[in-house]
Amino acid sequence: MNEYTMPIVFGVVVGTIGRMMMLRTDYRQYPTYLHGKIIHVALGFIAASLGAVAVPAIMEMNFTAVTFLTVAATQFREVRNMERNTLSEIDDFELVSRGKAYIEGIAISFESRNYLVILTAFVGTLFYLIWNVYMAIIGAIICLIISKVLQSGSTIKDLVDIEYAPPHFDGAGLYVDNIYIMNIGLPERQEEILKYGMGFVLIPKNLNVVNTIAHLGQRQAILHDVSVSLGVFRDSGTPALVPLIKRDLDDGRIAVFILPQIRDREKAIQIIGAVPVLETAIRMPSKSDVRNREAN
Amino acid sequence: MVIEKSVLAIITTNKEKVAGGAPIFICNDFDELQKVAANLEAIIDGIAHALSDELFIIVKH
């Protein structure tokens, strides 16, 4: 035991608690059970140790030791690769795939959460050494709150208004509202689709949003989330029963056509609304200088 | 180049209107056409699309 033992232990503990708080199994169904969680708690523990040990290293004027944080960065980039690989491998076996953009979004968040853990452990240990354990607890709690806030990005309902629009056929063409979805030839298939299908129209609230929700990865993410939460009426080898999202080229509205097993209109609207906006899909045309100059 | 979509079969009741590449199934009436299309759809995991009442195609997406 020396003067640094307790602060380091404190930092490691709050960091690991932080990782556990950010690790939740929800409708994204990932990570699911014990083994997936163990991996991430263990990595969170390593991240917390790195953050906690950095403080005494600086205080002992051992500045070169801080360069091991770069090792941490490499390590956690590896976490991102690992998540990406696992999810991409599994994606082929999903009835409605997540899509590459969604997978990338999940992988990014796994990496960034480890950095938040490092920050929490660093602040915890630093405050403990500078002041005392009570300040350290306060600092750690603030960090955990910040982590929680950073963890949740915006969702689809912030960007669009969602309206129910029953799917209908015009000849062989399937439409949701006035947006063409696909051509279904067989009358029995058409009956199935009218019986089980639901349609929703997403109306963008402003111009930035039009491009974001048009992103193919974002659209696939919506389909995946809805299918996970409400079930999906399809099997391998029934390509006609596939949920689809199509875009109205005139005004950028998006028509979502789904085949859920639980046909609850309100729930479906809530679930579509709760789909996270993928970081990779966000577009900000309003921040383009040239465009703004022309608009003025 | 990877061909992502292809016409796997053509089912028709009017043989005057079709020719060429994909296998063609000629049926006597609309009922038979539908049955053949439904079976083919199930067998080859494609989607039966209607181009008109007398012409269906099975497409692999």
Side-chain angles (χ1 to χ4, degrees), chain A residues 27-40:
Chain A
Y27 65 92
R28 266 159 286 212
Q29 310 292 313
Y30 193 82
T32 37
Y33 290 110
L34 210 51
H35 294 92
K37 281 190 174 166
I38 287 172
I39 292 172
H40 289 291

Side-chain angles (χ1 to χ4, degrees), chain A residues 64-80:
Chain A
T64 48
V66 180
T67 54
F68 70 80
L69 285 177
T70 57
V71 179
T74 321
Q75 169 74 17
F76 296 124
R77 216 161 27 241
E78 205 50 51
V79 171
R80 181 163 153 190

Side-chain angles (χ1 to χ4, degrees), chain A residues 142-159:
Chain A
I142 291 171
C143 274
L144 292 179
I145 292 169
I146 292 174
S147 306
K148 263 293 183 206
V149 171
L150 289 178
Q151 179 187 5
S152 46
S154 52
T155 53
I156 289 286
K157 67 174 173 298
D158 303 331
L159 308 186

Side-chain angles (χ1 to χ4, degrees), chain A residues 115-159:
Chain A
Y115 296 131
L116 290 173
V117 168
I118 293 183
L119 176 78
T120 310
F122 185 88
V123 168
T125 311
L126 185 71
F127 283 20
Y128 198 131
L129 284 171
I130 295 177
W131 293 294
N132 53 41
V133 67
Y134 303 109
M135 284 305 289
I137 291 171
I138 294 168
I141 289 172
I142 291 171
C143 274
L144 292 179
I145 292 169
I146 292 174
S147 306
K148 263 293 183 206
V149 171
L150 289 178
Q151 179 187 5
S152 46
S154 52
T155 53
I156 289 286
K157 67 174 173 298
D158 303 331
L159 308 186

Side-chain angles (χ1 to χ4, degrees), chain A residues 172 180 182-190 236-242 246, chain B residues 30 33-35 37-39 41-42 45-51 56 59 61:
Chain A
Y180 178 78
M182 63 175 156
N183 178 309
I184 297 288
L186 297 170
E188 48 188 293
R189 280 274 174 282
Q190 296 189 356
S236 62
T238 53
L241 299 173
V242 63
K246 294 285 177 185
Chain B
F30 189 62
L33 177 105
Q34 276 183 36
K35 277 180 194 144
N39 275 331
E41 184 185 68
D45 289 359
I47 303 183
H49 292 299
L51 298 183
F56 276 42
V59 179
H61 287 273

Side-chain angles (χ1 to χ4, degrees), chain B residues 3-58:
Chain B
I3 298 171
E4 284 179 350
K5 299 187 181 190
S6 64
V7 179
L8 297 180
I10 301 164
I11 308 121
T12 183
T13 50
N14 182 356
K15 62 182 171 190
E16 308 280 302
K17 285 204 169 177
V18 293
I24 300 166
F25 298 79
I26 294 160
C27 304
N28 292 325
D29 51 38
F30 189 62
D31 267 359
E32 192 189 349
L33 177 105
Q34 276 183 36
K35 277 180 194 144
V36 172
N39 275 331
L40 280 172
E41 184 185 68
I43 293 164
I44 52 190
D45 289 359
I47 303 183
H49 292 299
L51 298 183
S52 67
D53 276 349
E54 52 187 22
L55 182 60
F56 276 42
I57 54 173
I58 309 279

Side-chain angles (χ1 to χ4, degrees), chain A residues 198-218:
Chain A
M198 290 175 89
F200 297 91
V201 178
L202 312 189
I203 303 153
K205 287 183 180 167
N206 62 52
L207 212 78
N208 285 337
V209 169
V210 173
N211 289 319
T212 305
I213 56 168
H215 192 276
L216 293 173
Q218 182 65 57

